[in-house]
Amino acid sequence: MGEHDLRDDDSELFRQAIGPVRPLDAKPLPPAAPKPRPRARMAERDEAAAAQEFRLALDEQLLGAGDVLSHRDERLPPAAFQRLKRGELSAQEEIDLHGLDARQAQSLLRAFLADARKHGVGCVRIIHGKGRGAAELDSSGAPVLKNMVDRVLRQRADVLGFHSAPPAQGGTGAVVVVLAKR
């Protein structure tokens, strides 16, 4: 008997000893990495495009040193806005942003407006300067602080209206703001 025959006999004996068999199930695969959460890519692109368009629109209408700041929300009655324009409303609080860089000035302005609203102040004056110094102008020659103040005031829901101050109170270097009641 050859070695080959012994191996076949051994295999046959083994099969008889263990009986019928069934194949094992395949090993389960390792868990897959979790899928990323869905993102609203189109909405993100739309928002980015709108923000860029908004910035471009702001850049197109930059105010000059002698330009008047003026805005009225529909919640402010026209008669009250006329009084504001004529300088008949007196500011209860005032902040002077002269000499600050735009980031500092914006942070202080936001805090000042929030504090004024918190304490029930209805009318404030913001001195931004006319932007006549070289350090106060941007690359296009527009006054940085004046344009920043205009932009911040237009974006705030608590601002009912604003207008450049009368000449005796700073003229086009300051703005008087009417705030909504708390």
Side-chain angles (χ1 to χ4, degrees):
M1 246 181 151
E3 197 177 302
H4 184 65
D5 293 336
L6 283 176
R7 262 195 250 139
D8 285 342
D9 286 343
D10 288 343
S11 296
E12 187 59 33
L13 281 173
F14 178 74
R15 282 191 201 99
Q16 287 174 1
I18 62 166
V21 295
R22 62 178 173 74
L24 295 173
D25 293 335
K27 281 186 179 178
L29 295 173
K35 292 184 179 177
R37 294 182 69 197
R39 283 180 37 210
R41 286 190 182 96
M42 290 299 289
E44 288 172 5
R45 278 189 232 136
D46 287 348
E47 284 183 30
Q52 180 64 23
E53 195 172 304
F54 181 69
R55 272 189 231 102
L56 290 174
L58 287 176
D59 290 343
E60 288 174 8
Q61 45 187 317
L62 289 174
L63 297 160
D67 292 343
V68 172
L69 294 182
S70 187
H71 173 74
R72 181 183 76 85
D73 186 273
E74 62 189 24
R75 296 172 293 165
L76 183 66
F81 187 62
Q82 289 304 318
R83 289 184 61 216
L84 174 67
K85 286 171 71 172
R86 289 191 301 261
E88 295 174 2
L89 300 181
S90 60
Q92 297 163 279
E93 295 290 335
E94 177 177 279
I95 187 170
D96 189 343
L97 303 175
H98 270 112
L100 300 175
D101 68 23
R103 182 171 286 149
Q104 282 179 314
Q106 184 171 357
S107 176
L108 278 174
L109 176 60
R110 289 182 190 279
F112 171 74
L113 292 171
D115 190 59
R117 178 115 191 267
K118 178 180 170 186
H119 290 94
V121 175
C123 187
V124 297
R125 181 174 30 257
I126 302 162
I127 302 170
H128 49 72
K130 295 184 181 183
R132 292 202 172 132
E136 298 171 342
L137 302 175
D138 67 6
S139 58
S140 67
V144 174
L145 293 182
K146 183 173 189 166
N147 281 287
M148 180 275 299
V149 167
D150 182 62
R151 189 168 49 247
V152 168
L153 293 177
R154 287 176 188 274
Q155 292 172 353
R156 291 187 63 99
D158 58 352
V159 172
L160 295 180
F162 58 88
H163 192 78
S164 289
Q169 296 177 21
T172 56
V175 63
V176 179
V177 183
V178 176
L179 298 171
K181 292 182 181 173
R182 241 181 358 160

